Amino acid sequence: MATLAEKFAALGAENAPGQELRQQTDHLAALMRGAPIAGVPVDFSHGDVDAFAPTPGAKAAWDAGFERGGAQAYTEYRGDAMIRASLADRLANFTGAPISPEQELIITPGTQGALFLALGALVDQGTKVAVVDPDYFANRKLVVFFGGEVVPIPLRYTADNPGENGPDLDRLQQAFETGTRVLVFSTPNNPTGHVCSEQVIAQIARLAVRYDVAVVVDQLYSRMLYQGESYSHLRAHPEAPANLVTIMGPSKTESLSGFRLGVAFGSAEIIARMEQLQAIVSLRAAGYNQAALETWFQEPEGWLRQRITQHQAIRDDLLVVFRAAGLPCAAPQAGSYLFPQLPALAVSYAQFVQLLRLQAGVTVTPGAEFGTDCSDSIRLNFSQDHAAAVAAAQRIVEMVERYRA
Amino acid sequence: MATLAEKFAALGAENAPGQELRQQTDHLAALMRGAPIAGVPVDFSHGDVDAFAPTPGAKAAWDAGFERGGAQAYTEYRGDAMIRASLADRLANFTGAPISPEQELIITPGTQGALFLALGALVDQGTKVAVVDPDYFANRKLVVFFGGEVVPIPLRYTADNPGENGPDLDRLQQAFETGTRVLVFSTPNNPTGHVCSEQVIAQIARLAVRYDVAVVVDQLYSRMLYQGESYSHLRAHPEAPANLVTIMGPSKTESLSGFRLGVAFGSAEIIARMEQLQAIVSLRAAGYNQAALETWFQEPEGWLRQRITQHQAIRDDLLVVFRAAGLPCAAPQAGSYLFPQLPALAVSYAQFVQLLRLQAGVTVTPGAEFGTDCSDSIRLNFSQDHAAAVAAAQRIVEMVERYRA
């Protein structure tokens, strides 16, 4: 069993988005090639809520919540009953299957909070958990923190033959056959933007039912679906597993990350455990903030369509920049992450990422955070000012040329 | 080792403040004696932020945070650097010992969040943790959740000879001698309002240093100190232990619970672990909300004094009501909790608490939540409308008479 010191060593957060400022970088001066590259600094480690503002009405909804006073400050741990009721309706409508607001939904402090609570409800010392590789970096860390064992399931996500992309279902079945009790995965995938096809979702459902595996599916980015793509909700599948929790939240597409709001919905037993855990973790998502959920899935006519169109235009321009420079990059089907692959460099990839920030004003997240074979990739959240993002991508390419092995 | 099902059974949150609505109460009709007792409903399970409003300027500070946009939405996991800097100054001033804003302070989602992170950083499978009994109910639950072993330290808190009240230091030394690695306690104590004397704090410091025990001290209510009382900050003691975390927050005295804000400050190593854990728990305290901390310890002249005076007046009136009815009740030295003891009743204490809510419109928290020998007590947070609180206390007394064994 890992000691507490070992557990925390595995939790290293110094490369996590927003934490770069805490790094020691004095040693990099000796490695630097050429002068700084001028340009508007871009922090691709998270979306820019100044470029893409919070959904209209979010602040007014917060104000109204504050005015409601005590009733909004002290909600049930799973969140305000009235907000859950209206939210359950809208989420049922979006995902295509009913949700009991009393028993099957919990409001959490961000989708990070939802992931933490869901895995805390399911993972114990020695629990084997299938984790897609690459996937959101916290998934592996959470499994380790709760004492579980990560069983990696490779994800194919190349730019060629995208129809063949997806998680390795043979490996998944093998994992389920050999004692894996939980599967956690994101679709759209973070960091690649890959969306599981209807066939893959059907297969996951069948395997989970057959082997009685609990599934946590992170659908954070499922609203931002690009032209021509289609999305399958596992929970709406006729053979959806009984122990299933779906996670969403308004932090990304809707730019409400500053409110720290997420929701988890699914199996009443798991949701009940999540609430018990929430009671000792942080009581509830901040009461007044919960009120901002009233704007979610009720945005003005055309708002979502416009936001998708704008992101798709940025995506397409960045793909052109990276592919023209010979950096392989799968086209994200949804969400605002790009995960280009770098060539062999004369510095380590970790050093390159730091140099990129210091020398070119471009912050990205190292691929090594996301999976075992991704250290030569970098993740960009391209929910940024369009022109600044394209210029920053060009600086990345220039930096790659400078540091090419 | 406890199974996950056993762990969650121990986490039962159905009696926790605000969760009463989820209880099944149909079976109580058969037990009911007499008619309902009319009166303004009072929920003593938490403070009433309508009766005692959030500190002046909190909403304006939130608005300013929202206007700052992305920089305030995405702070370091340990919280915005500028807010930490000014906060560290004020907290150092209040507690009487310096705090490094870079290394020794983290902003958390409420003091609950701080307690969770602190114990998560220190408690592992089998870690023995000294927990004062009675104390805040989450302390025991957190130790169990992290796989630790609770070593109870009895607290004396009678109304007679208050000078003799306090935790049993012989038991504490015994615990430390026999392998206890962590001590967690609140002062002022929740639920009794007992404040550890300077001598007790000095003894705790000496014992912790001698046995190299890490200490988490919850000082949530230390600002609301009643006339004639004095307060000792463990962290300012000349022999304060090296592994010490102090927890505070603006949820109670300042009525900012709806913002979910807390802080922990102390040992850089523990704070660093807490941030690593925060990164997978919920990333950060909601970004815009952090801005409300700018009002903390910077309230208008006279504001705190008035708030204390108002609470002291309620405290004194409630003590008169309970003591006149023969319900023993220690006078809280700080904070807004009362913990009166009930006589033998014809129904169980759990049933009485439910009947109190259904029949008399009075919500309290059962004493059993707080310790092993407290099931005959009830906890009241008397941060309420003054007249309504006194009338509700009178209804409690009337209910006690009706159900007396």
Side-chain angles (χ1 to χ4, degrees):
Chain A
M1 194 190 304
T3 66
L4 205 55
E6 287 163 354
K7 267 192 193 178
F8 276 92
L11 279 185
E14 65 280 4
N15 290 314
Q19 297 303 101
E20 301 82 6
L21 293 176
R22 302 194 71 81
Q23 297 168 354
Q24 297 299 320
T25 51
D26 298 344
H27 61 290
L28 293 173
L31 300 173
M32 212 169 274
R33 296 185 176 184
I37 309 178
V40 179
V42 173
D43 185 349
F44 285 116
S45 73
H46 57 73
D48 179 354
V49 300
D50 299 328
F52 287 99
T55 31
K59 181 175 186 311
W62 190 93
D63 289 349
F66 184 79
E67 288 308 316
R68 274 198 290 283
Q72 190 65 52
Y74 287 93
T75 71
E76 284 177 60
Y77 296 147
R78 61 177 68 199
D80 180 81
M82 289 205 314
I83 293 173
R84 278 187 286 123
S86 72
L87 207 49
D89 264 358
R90 303 198 296 278
L91 290 168
N93 187 47
F94 176 70
T95 61
I99 301 166
S100 156
E102 290 83 19
Q103 304 297 332
E104 297 177 343
L105 187 147
I106 182 170
I107 297 170
T108 58
T111 50
Q112 182 69 54
L115 271 174
F116 180 84
L117 298 175
L119 291 175
L122 294 168
V123 180
D124 202 3
Q125 298 295 326
T127 307
K128 286 187 184 180
V129 183
V131 178
V132 171
D133 188 347
D135 206 329
Y136 179 48
F137 48 82
N139 294 0
R140 281 178 298 134
K141 292 179 180 179
L142 284 165
V143 172
V144 171
F145 180 75
F146 289 120
E149 184 188 324
V150 170
V151 182
I153 307 298
L155 175 77
R156 188 189 135 90
Y157 58 97
T158 66
D160 328 312
N161 302 320
E164 292 171 15
N165 285 347
D168 186 330
L169 295 176
D170 293 335
R171 288 282 286 276
L172 191 67
Q173 175 156 9
Q174 209 172 69
F176 287 3
E177 271 170 1
T178 53
T180 292
R181 307 298 307 139
V182 180
L183 162 66
V184 56
F185 73 108
S186 61
T187 175
N189 175 261
N190 176 351
T192 68
H194 171 76
V195 171
C196 285
S197 68
E198 193 180 343
Q199 292 81 343
V200 167
I201 290 295
Q203 274 285 77
I204 289 175
R206 269 193 290 274
L207 289 173
V209 169
R210 177 165 162 200
Y211 294 99
D212 192 23
V213 168
V215 181
V216 177
V217 54
D218 171 357
Q219 305 193 172
L220 177 53
Y221 257 121
S222 52
R223 289 186 89 189
M224 190 175 282
L225 193 67
Y226 295 120
Q227 210 174 357
E229 304 292 349
S230 63
Y231 192 90
S232 290
H233 295 275
L234 177 55
R235 65 184 307 274
H237 193 275
E239 294 174 75
N243 292 317
L244 171 63
V245 170
T246 303
I247 290 172
M248 290 191 66
S251 287
K252 301 294 184 185
T253 305
E254 304 81 0
S255 299
L256 298 186
S257 180
F259 293 80
R260 294 280 77 217
L261 292 166
V263 291
F265 41 107
S267 155
E269 290 73 22
I270 304 176
I271 299 294
R273 279 192 176 184
M274 290 172 69
E275 181 178 44
Q276 287 180 296
L277 188 48
Q278 178 64 37
I280 60 165
V281 172
S282 63
L283 300 185
R284 59 180 74 79
Y288 307 134
N289 299 20
Q290 292 179 31
L293 288 170
E294 291 292 6
T295 62
W296 199 29
F297 285 92
Q298 311 212 79
E299 297 86 1
E301 178 68 27
W303 176 90
L304 180 63
R305 200 172 48 244
Q306 189 193 15
R307 189 147 282 205
I308 292 173
T309 304
Q310 290 169 321
H311 280 82
Q312 187 162 331
I314 302 173
R315 174 194 75 161
D316 292 344
D317 283 357
L318 296 190
L319 281 173
V320 167
V321 171
F322 290 131
R323 289 175 176 173
L327 308 188
C329 188
Q333 299 165 268
S336 65
Y337 292 124
L338 271 184
F339 200 54
Q341 192 183 355
L342 308 178
L345 300 176
V347 294
S348 76
Y349 293 112
Q351 287 166 337
F352 181 76
V353 165
Q354 297 192 325
L355 288 163
L356 204 50
R357 184 166 67 83
L358 295 174
Q359 198 171 359
V362 181
T363 304
V364 301
T365 307
E369 291 283 302
F370 301 93
T372 41
D373 289 324
C374 311
S375 59
D376 59 351
S377 292
I378 51 176
R379 189 194 71 174
L380 290 75
N381 184 328
F382 60 82
S383 187
Q384 308 287 343
D385 176 82
H386 192 143
V390 172
Q394 286 160 341
R395 297 205 294 283
I396 293 174
V397 167
E398 188 177 340
M399 287 285 288
V400 165
E401 292 316 317
R402 283 194 194 181
Y403 290 90
R404 212 181 257 278
Chain B
M1 194 190 303
T3 65
L4 204 56
E6 287 163 355
K7 267 191 192 178
F8 276 92
L11 279 185
E14 65 280 4
N15 289 315
Q19 296 303 102
E20 302 82 6
L21 294 175
R22 301 195 72 81
Q23 296 168 355
Q24 296 299 320
T25 51
D26 299 345
H27 60 290
L28 292 173
L31 299 173
M32 213 171 273
R33 296 183 176 185
I37 309 177
V40 179
V42 173
D43 185 349
F44 285 116
S45 73
H46 56 73
D48 180 354
V49 300
D50 299 328
F52 288 100
T55 31
K59 181 174 184 314
W62 189 93
D63 289 348
F66 184 79
E67 288 308 317
R68 273 197 291 282
Q72 190 65 52
Y74 287 92
T75 72
E76 284 176 60
Y77 296 147
R78 61 177 67 198
D80 180 82
M82 290 207 313
I83 294 173
R84 278 187 285 124
S86 71
L87 206 50
D89 265 358
R90 303 198 297 277
L91 290 168
N93 188 47
F94 175 70
T95 60
I99 301 166
S100 155
E102 290 82 19
Q103 305 297 332
E104 299 178 343
L105 187 146
I106 181 170
I107 298 170
T108 58
T111 51
Q112 182 70 53
L115 271 174
F116 180 84
L117 298 176
L119 290 175
L122 294 167
V123 180
D124 201 3
Q125 299 295 326
T127 307
K128 288 187 181 178
V129 183
V131 178
V132 170
D133 188 349
D135 207 327
Y136 179 47
F137 48 81
N139 295 0
R140 281 177 299 133
K141 292 179 181 179
L142 284 165
V143 173
V144 171
F145 180 75
F146 289 119
E149 184 189 324
V150 171
V151 182
I153 308 298
L155 175 77
R156 188 190 136 89
Y157 59 97
T158 66
D160 329 313
N161 302 321
E164 292 171 16
N165 285 347
D168 186 330
L169 295 177
D170 293 334
R171 289 283 288 275
L172 190 67
Q173 176 157 10
Q174 211 171 66
F176 287 3
E177 271 170 0
T178 53
T180 291
R181 308 298 308 139
V182 180
L183 163 66
V184 56
F185 73 107
S186 61
T187 175
N189 174 262
N190 176 352
T192 68
H194 172 75
V195 172
C196 285
S197 68
E198 193 181 342
Q199 292 83 342
V200 167
I201 290 295
Q203 274 284 80
I204 289 174
R206 270 193 289 273
L207 289 173
V209 170
R210 177 163 162 201
Y211 294 98
D212 192 23
V213 168
V215 181
V216 177
V217 54
D218 171 357
Q219 305 194 173
L220 177 53
Y221 258 121
S222 52
R223 288 186 89 189
M224 190 176 280
L225 192 67
Y226 294 120
Q227 211 174 356
E229 305 292 349
S230 63
Y231 191 89
S232 290
H233 295 275
L234 176 55
R235 64 185 307 274
H237 192 275
E239 294 174 76
N243 292 317
L244 171 63
V245 169
T246 303
I247 290 172
M248 290 191 66
S251 287
K252 302 293 184 187
T253 305
E254 303 81 359
S255 299
L256 298 186
S257 180
F259 292 80
R260 294 281 76 218
L261 291 167
V263 291
F265 43 106
S267 155
E269 291 72 22
I270 304 176
I271 299 294
R273 279 192 177 184
M274 290 173 69
E275 181 179 44
Q276 288 180 296
L277 188 47
Q278 177 65 37
I280 61 165
V281 171
S282 63
L283 300 186
R284 60 181 71 80
Y288 307 134
N289 299 20
Q290 291 179 32
L293 288 170
E294 290 292 5
T295 63
W296 198 30
F297 285 92
Q298 310 213 78
E299 297 85 2
E301 178 67 29
W303 176 90
L304 181 63
R305 200 171 49 244
Q306 188 193 15
R307 190 148 279 205
I308 292 173
T309 305
Q310 290 168 323
H311 280 82
Q312 188 163 329
I314 302 172
R315 174 194 75 162
D316 292 344
D317 283 356
L318 295 190
L319 280 173
V320 167
V321 171
F322 290 132
R323 288 174 176 174
L327 308 189
C329 188
Q333 299 165 268
S336 64
Y337 292 123
L338 273 182
F339 201 53
Q341 191 182 357
L342 309 177
L345 299 176
V347 294
S348 75
Y349 293 111
Q351 287 167 337
F352 181 76
V353 165
Q354 296 193 325
L355 287 163
L356 203 52
R357 184 167 65 83
L358 295 175
Q359 197 172 358
V362 181
T363 304
V364 300
T365 307
E369 290 284 302
F370 301 93
T372 42
D373 289 324
C374 312
S375 59
D376 59 351
S377 293
I378 52 177
R379 189 194 71 173
L380 289 75
N381 184 328
F382 60 82
S383 187
Q384 308 287 344
D385 176 84
H386 192 144
V390 172
Q394 287 161 340
R395 297 206 294 283
I396 293 174
V397 168
E398 187 177 339
M399 287 286 287
V400 166
E401 292 316 316
R402 284 193 193 180
Y403 290 90
R404 211 180 257 278

